[in-house]
């Protein structure tokens, strides 16, 4: 009886802590420039500086080679994110960039497990899990990406698929804080965003999986988010922000950021 009361109290404390952590968090709107930017993209934002509303964290995930340029072209209101990281800490791994290197050079967020890494570069849940652990050992914040292919969605197995992918990517990680981006593969770069109901179902599932594992953080949506649908998508209560590919490369990005803000009139 005493044991079950103390277990209950510990669970209550954890639930309150995680609710407090989440409540204190701003919305998150990240741009993913993939391998699509050039110096012209930087110059565009130099001429049209991005504004981050007080209630939105904004980042841009740039290719590593632009690391030195980022601070020249962006103010401190836009955080620098990496698109990937090595699963190794250090050593003879030609072409790789470690989490420690990224953190030394001022990166604040790191995408991990983007579907293009998983599909085009055959990254496994196991390597993504290692990368996530590497980032969590630094002061940078991981954004774990997960998403189902069209076949899992059309056969209605998407929730099982995503639950397995989430569990494998976060294996042995508990009591940690990071953000999760739900990005259905069929919605990325297709101009066909998931619907409000589809997003709600998955984000609520992710929130409950995270809290069961004592994980806290924001749960955001990505996949053809544009200036024209961001207003509607930002009404989704459980959606803490967006991860944006094409829409982050030019003038639409500011509109998407503003849509993610409660403070800005829509
Ligand atoms: P998209 O890409 O906005 O161009 O669909 C999203 C992403 O891959 O993060």
């Amino acid at each position: 009886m005493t044991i079950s009361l103390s277990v209950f109290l510990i669970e209550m404390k954890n639930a309150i802590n995680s609710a407090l952590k989440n409540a204190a968090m701003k919305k998150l709107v990240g741009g993913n420039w993939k391998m699509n930017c050039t110096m012209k993209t930087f110059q565009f934002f130099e001429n049209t500086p991005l504004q981050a509303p007080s209630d939105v964290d904004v980042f841009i995930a740039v290719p590593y080679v632009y690391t030195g340029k980022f601070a020249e072209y962006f103010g401190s209101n836009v955080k620098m994110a990496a698109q990937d990281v090595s699963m190794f800490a250090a050593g003879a791994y030609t072409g790789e960039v470690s989490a420690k290197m990224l953190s030394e050079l001022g990166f604040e967020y790191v995408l991990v497990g983007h579907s293009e890494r998983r599909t085009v570069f055959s990254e496994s849940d196991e390597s993504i899990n290692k990368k996530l652990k590497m980032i969590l050992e630094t002061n940078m914040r991981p954004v774990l990406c997960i998403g189902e292919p069209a076949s899992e969605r059309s056969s209605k197995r998407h929730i099982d698929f995503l639950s397995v992918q989430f569990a494998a990517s976060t294996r042995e990680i508990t009591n940690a804080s990071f953000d999760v981006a739900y990005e259905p593969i069929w919605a990325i770069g297709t101009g066909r965003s998931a619907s409000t109901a589809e997003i709600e179902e998955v984000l609520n599932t992710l929130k409950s999986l995270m809290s069961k594992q004592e994980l806290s953080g924001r749960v955001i949506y990505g996949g053809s988010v544009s200036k024209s649908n961001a207003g509607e998508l930002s009404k989704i209560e459980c959606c803490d922000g967006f991860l944006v590919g094409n829409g982050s490369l030019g003038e639409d990005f500011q509109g998407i950021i503003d849509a993610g803000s409660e403070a800005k009139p829509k």
Side-chain angles (χ1 to χ4, degrees), residues 139-180:
N139 57 353
M140 299 181 296
R141 193 165 176 87
V143 180
L144 170 67
C145 304
I146 66 161
E148 82 283 1
S151 54
E152 297 294 329
R153 168 65 62 177
S154 57
S155 58
K156 300 203 168 25
R157 288 190 309 251
H158 54 284
I159 291 293
D160 282 350
F161 178 92
L162 292 165
S163 304
V164 170
Q165 195 180 52
F166 180 82
S169 306
T170 61
R171 202 167 67 88
E172 294 166 346
I173 302 175
T174 181
N175 214 343
S177 185
F178 57 87
D179 304 313
V180 180

Side-chain angles (χ1 to χ4, degrees), residues 32 34 114 116 183 187-190 222-225 243-247:
N32 179 6
K34 311 189 181 185
H114 190 280
E116 286 146 21
E183 297 205 302
I188 295 179
T190 58
S224 296
V225 177
L243 183 56
V244 189
N246 287 325

Side-chain angles (χ1 to χ4, degrees), residues 180-193:
V180 180
Y182 167 52
E183 297 205 302
I185 297 175
W186 45 272
I188 295 179
T190 58
R192 184 185 147 219
S193 157

Side-chain angles (χ1 to χ4, degrees), residues 26-37:
K26 296 178 179 185
K27 296 272 180 185
L28 178 65
V29 178
N32 179 6
W33 283 4
K34 311 189 181 185
M35 206 171 71
N36 285 324
C37 63

